[in-house]
Amino acid sequence: MTESLEPMPTDWQRALVIVAHPDDVEFAACAAVASWTDAGHEVSYLLASRGEAGIDGVPPEEAGPLREREQRESAALVGVHDVRFLDHRDGVIESGTALRRDLARGIREVRPDLVITFNHYDRWGFGGWNSPDHRAVGRAALDAVGDAGNRWIFPELVTEAGLHPWKGVRRIAVAGSPHPTHAVDVGPTLDRAVGSLAAHANYLAALTEQAPEDMARDFLHRTTAEAGASFGTEHAVAFELV
Ligand SMILES: [Zn+2]
């Protein structure tokens, strides 16, 4: 494979990662997050749901708080201590103005210069069909960056919440995109990323027969080696920069 991916820019201070579910950041990008927080960047997470529909044997009212706890532990392992949850319903998150307003609110609160989202395309790079929640939240996040900067789209954010427009987002990076353009070398942080994904222990236990740590190691080593092959490093996390 040719080395086709460019290095991700590092001239930014604060990033907001917007995803649908607990575990989305961990499957796609947490090794890159660890390398950013190591380098002194500030990273916050904003999740549209608590992933309460994610565990077959556990009813949503128990799974929601459980997965929220796992997400906070998982984030702390890669240096992220600001984790925010919205209450959109897992599995049936609707892409629309309510979601855009909530995400624009989060962007105005955090005031990031970089927004990270998750694959919003119909398919994954390997061809499989993407989840409706990922498509909805990814697309709404892309839209919400513009909404966050416009005083007149959600005027109630100013009048009711005192949140003035934030036009400071200079870049959006899509993790898990089937059309990556940039990458981060994650060799030094891969072990911590494995721990961060494995922290979703209850979720992973329901997903696979493998021990969470083994599943996390296998998955992240394989996917980061694939991206690394296009970036000229052993392990990398790829993004599509918008
Ligand atoms: Zn997900």
Side-chain angles (χ1 to χ4, degrees):
M1 202 180 287
T2 54
E3 294 174 18
S4 55
L5 301 174
E6 298 286 322
M8 263 290 280
T10 56
D11 58 338
W12 54 272
Q13 181 53 36
R14 189 174 299 134
L16 176 63
V17 183
I18 299 175
V19 294
H21 311 120
D23 77 69
D24 289 349
V25 187
E26 287 67 40
F27 274 109
C30 70
V33 170
S35 77
W36 292 330
T37 57
D38 281 357
H41 300 282
E42 297 162 50
V43 181
S44 300
Y45 292 172
L46 175 61
L47 288 86
S49 82
R50 289 178 170 75
E52 67 273 12
I55 306 178
D56 188 39
V58 180
E61 60 274 19
E62 286 172 42
L66 175 70
R67 300 206 67 201
E68 178 178 339
R69 262 199 316 281
E70 289 185 344
Q71 180 63 68
R72 292 187 189 281
E73 277 171 41
S74 171
L77 289 169
V78 293
V80 176
H81 304 285
D82 178 18
V83 183
R84 298 155 188 247
F85 292 87
L86 302 171
D87 282 310
H88 291 261
R89 199 174 137 213
D90 183 20
V92 290
I93 298 175
E94 290 185 29
S95 186
T97 49
L99 180 58
R100 276 169 52 196
R101 181 174 52 235
D102 286 348
L103 299 182
R105 178 196 305 269
I107 293 167
R108 289 189 189 185
E109 287 171 348
V110 173
R111 301 162 74 89
D113 35 3
L114 171 66
V115 166
I116 310 286
T117 68
F118 195 34
N119 184 15
H120 60 280
Y121 293 99
D122 286 344
R123 291 177 183 273
W124 298 103
F126 68 89
W129 193 246
N130 194 6
S131 113
D133 284 357
H134 298 161
R135 301 199 304 269
V137 174
R139 295 186 68 85
L142 289 161
D143 293 337
V145 168
D147 300 336
N150 186 317
R151 176 177 311 280
W152 306 116
I153 292 181
F154 297 117
E156 65 273 30
L157 292 180
V158 178
T159 55
E160 291 167 19
L163 291 166
H164 292 279
W166 174 249
K167 298 174 193 281
V169 178
R170 290 183 296 136
R171 301 184 185 97
I172 307 170
V174 184
S177 168
H179 311 292
T181 56
H182 289 68
V184 177
D185 175 12
V186 297
T189 55
L190 193 55
D191 284 344
R192 264 186 298 150
V194 169
S196 185
L197 176 53
H200 294 279
N202 284 281
Y203 175 70
L204 295 178
L207 199 69
T208 156
E209 302 276 288
Q210 269 184 303
E213 186 88 15
D214 295 340
M215 187 274 175
R217 186 175 300 103
D218 288 355
F219 180 86
L220 290 177
H221 274 257
R222 176 169 53 78
T223 53
T224 58
E226 284 167 11
S230 301
F231 188 51
T233 59
E234 196 174 348
H235 296 281
V237 169
F239 297 90
E240 177 185 359
L241 207 59
V242 177

